[in-house]
Amino acid sequence: VGASTIGPSQVKLAALQVNIPSMDCGACAVGIQAKLNKQDDAQAAQVDFATKTAVIRFDPGKLSPERVTALIDETGFKAEPKTFSQER
């Protein structure tokens, strides 16, 4: 049995859902989403002002749930982790 190489399209992603209870406007959601989507290791981020939640998909080998939460905190809004899952 030889070692296999995992290409970029084969990376298993993780998904983190967080609550952002202090987010109080649509522009806030846009700013948070923009910051998250600028991260090279974040595959996609969706921030929903109506539900005050965000879902971030990322490579768990390069970015941790704690770092994702810290990135949101850096925007001035406290992120509260809700669920975390990894593709199998």
Side-chain angles (χ1 to χ4, degrees), residues 2-4 7 11 14 30 36 38 45 50 55 57 64 69 71 79 82-83:
S4 63
V11 171
V30 170
L36 293 168
K38 284 182 185 176
V55 177
R57 291 175 51 95
S64 69
T69 301
L71 288 166
K82 188 174 176 181
T83 62

Side-chain angles (χ1 to χ4, degrees), residues 3-79:
S4 63
T5 303
I6 297 176
S9 64
Q10 296 173 317
V11 171
K12 299 205 185 275
L13 297 176
L16 176 67
Q17 182 177 17
V18 297
N19 291 324
I20 312 172
S22 61
M23 182 172 50
D24 56 4
C25 69
C28 301
V30 170
I32 295 167
Q33 184 167 304
K35 179 164 182 91
L36 293 168
N37 281 324
K38 284 182 185 176
Q39 301 303 307
D40 290 337
D41 301 319
Q43 185 75 14
Q46 296 178 327
V47 180
D48 186 341
F49 166 64
T51 61
K52 296 189 180 215
T53 61
V55 177
I56 306 93
R57 291 175 51 95
F58 58 94
D59 177 348
K62 297 181 178 180
L63 198 61
S64 69
E66 295 80 13
R67 179 64 186 137
V68 172
T69 301
L71 288 166
I72 296 169
D73 290 350
E74 289 172 11
T75 67
F77 298 94
K78 180 73 176 148

